[in-house]
Amino acid sequence: MRRVVITGAGTVNPLAMDVAGTYAAFAAGRCAIGPLLIRDVDRLSVKIAAQVHGWQPEQHFERQRLPLLDRFAQFALVAARQAVAQSGLRFQGALADTTGVVLGTAGGGLTTTDDNYRSVYAEGKSRVHPFVVPKLMSSAAPSHVSMEFTLRGPSFALSSACASSNHAMGLAFQMVRSGLADVMLTGGAEAMLCLGGIKAWEGLRVMSPDACRPFSLTRNGMVQGEGAAVFVFEDFDHARARGAVILAEVAGFGMTSDASDIVMPSTEGAARAMTIALKDAGLAPEQIGYINAHGTGTAANDRSETAAIRTVFGAQADRLMVSSTKSMHGHLIGGTGAVELLACLMALQTDVIAPTMGFETADPDCNLDVVPNEARAVRVEAVLSNAFAFGGLNAVLALRRI
């Protein structure tokens, strides 16, 4: 099987509008969580989020194109443009036929759905815009990305709740490794910060009213975010032949199902996903220096994930760095794994480990080195990125330095 490397990365997220800015925010421990600024926020009990402020779509897209683009698709397209520009690829001829797009999202065009439900049910309108369906569909983002770059390989959206991006990137990795594609654009995007999106999550009673404090004894829930990250996954020989700058190698992927509960996580399922990713990558537990945790800031996730890490790594867990960047950019739901992969790339490229911000008091049930409140300068050779979703859907990526 072929080796797979990352040759481009792009992002739009609450911390920054590009990768360099995101790295700087991670290194500084900057938190983007603040007051939620949306229509009808007074009808919500949760009034904080990590938003992409200052987003002006007209700066990125022609006016006639905007009626087709929900906010999540806009984020994905701009992130993809950045990733392709960094990669230096030009998609012509045979390469266009063997390059595709797989993007993860949980809500798709939820903002469009919310706006049009409001128009029909609250405002009594009898008609909606003719482009509502192509705008709200989850596959809109990969479709637009494929058209932007004339990519004629396998392209589709993937939805597995909070593991959507990791599943998408894992499948893209497998497609390049198996020879089904030479290059894949992959990652995820989400824009669920609207009245309906927040109100639905409020019903679960897992949202914090004030901050995201993963692994801290004082944590009281998750905070939603929005944004996207897209990466260029490329066959190693193809990248080397053209002299591409390689950011990291995608070494392995593991995915499992808990098959037990629709919302409560399983330690065993998460542990198996990490174990499979390590085996697939040919990595021993002691070779992993950093894990970007799922780390939602909920009691159930943080304790279950800690137990899973200790199950897989044993005594090595005491020497691991494990941080949750959701403490800074919020939980991007289906797009979260993609933005979190940037923290893994930063660790391998710059020798800086992103911190877990907001940490106050240690929880005896989360007894890991969570890199509290301050980034750390440490060289690591290999990392894991965890995603554990509602429905018991687990996806773990393994990356290593090259």
Side-chain angles (χ1 to χ4, degrees):
M1 291 187 292
R2 302 193 295 183
R3 295 172 68 186
V4 181
V5 294
I6 301 175
T7 55
T11 188
V12 174
N13 68 72
L15 294 170
M17 302 286 190
D18 56 22
V19 172
T22 302
Y23 282 8
F26 281 156
R30 184 168 67 82
C31 180
I33 296 169
L36 178 61
L37 304 177
I38 62 169
R39 184 178 179 182
D40 290 328
V41 69
D42 57 298
R43 296 180 59 190
L44 296 169
S45 58
V46 172
K47 293 181 170 62
I48 63 168
Q51 290 181 272
V52 177
H53 292 295
W55 178 250
Q56 298 181 20
E58 62 276 4
Q59 293 185 354
H60 303 280
F61 306 101
E62 296 176 353
R63 180 174 297 178
Q64 62 269 30
R65 193 177 182 187
L66 281 175
L68 283 167
L69 296 173
D70 183 88
R71 188 173 173 93
F72 96 106
Q74 295 171 23
F75 292 157
L77 270 165
V78 171
R81 289 171 181 173
Q82 295 174 13
V84 171
Q86 183 179 28
S87 75
L89 284 165
R90 297 292 181 267
F91 299 106
Q92 300 172 344
L95 184 59
D97 293 336
T98 59
T99 301
V101 188
V102 184
L103 298 177
T105 185
L110 187 64
T111 302
T112 296
T113 302
D114 197 61
D115 288 344
N116 284 275
Y117 277 166
R118 184 194 301 273
S119 295
V120 173
Y121 294 126
E123 299 171 3
K125 294 181 179 179
S126 298
R127 299 180 65 184
V128 298
H129 195 284
F131 291 154
V132 165
V133 169
K135 189 176 180 181
L136 65 81
M137 62 188 187
S138 294
S139 57
S143 294
H144 282 289
V145 170
S146 70
M147 290 185 286
E148 177 100 359
F149 300 104
T150 321
L151 308 178
R152 297 186 291 268
S155 297
F156 55 94
L158 192 155
S159 184
S160 56
C162 307
S164 298
S165 287
N166 272 24
H167 274 121
M169 293 186 289
L171 290 186
F173 161 64
Q174 291 176 335
M175 283 189 277
V176 175
R177 185 168 65 171
S178 69
L180 184 61
D182 292 320
V183 177
M184 292 294 294
L185 303 191
T186 187
E190 203 76 273
M192 298 177 69
L193 299 182
C194 56
L195 177 63
I198 299 292
K199 182 60 70 175
W201 278 92
E202 281 184 351
L204 286 164
R205 300 181 181 179
V206 296
M207 305 283 286
S208 170
D210 55 6
C212 181
R213 295 181 285 268
F215 302 111
S216 179
L217 187 64
T218 56
R219 67 193 180 279
N220 58 3
M222 56 172 273
V223 176
Q224 276 202 56
E226 63 177 354
V230 176
F231 305 89
V232 176
F233 282 16
E234 185 173 354
D235 168 51
F236 171 67
D237 289 337
H238 186 273
R240 184 171 57 180
R242 66 184 186 86
V245 175
I246 294 173
L247 307 182
E249 180 176 2
V250 187
F253 176 56
M255 52 183 168
T256 63
S257 299
D258 296 346
S260 58
D261 193 279
I262 199 66
V263 292
M264 292 301 294
S266 159
T267 294
E268 189 271 340
R272 282 197 303 118
M274 285 185 278
T275 298
I276 292 169
L278 290 171
K279 182 178 179 180
D280 190 45
L283 292 168
E286 55 269 22
Q287 291 177 275
I288 301 297
Y290 169 63
I291 298 177
N292 186 282
H294 191 57
T296 60
T298 62
N301 173 89
D302 293 359
R303 289 172 180 164
S304 175
E305 186 168 12
T306 299
I309 290 170
R310 290 207 163 273
T311 297
V312 174
F313 288 89
Q316 172 66 14
D318 293 327
R319 295 180 287 275
L320 273 173
M321 292 172 287
V322 181
S323 71
S324 171
T325 53
K326 287 182 178 72
S327 59
M328 290 181 273
H329 55 64
H331 194 334
L332 278 64
I333 318 299
T336 201
V339 172
E340 288 162 14
L341 198 73
L342 291 170
C344 294
L345 278 182
M346 184 177 80
L348 295 172
Q349 286 187 279
T350 71
D351 301 334
V352 175
I353 305 299
T356 301
M357 297 304 295
F359 189 84
E360 295 177 340
T361 306
D363 181 348
D365 292 328
C366 300
N367 54 344
L368 298 168
D369 176 3
V370 299
V371 195
N373 298 318
E374 188 174 340
R376 195 174 298 169
V378 181
R379 180 182 174 91
V380 295
E381 299 298 323
V383 302
L384 293 184
S385 182
N386 288 346
F388 308 131
F390 276 175
L393 309 179
N394 310 304
V396 177
L397 288 159
L399 272 62
R400 65 182 160 212
R401 189 185 294 266
I402 193 168

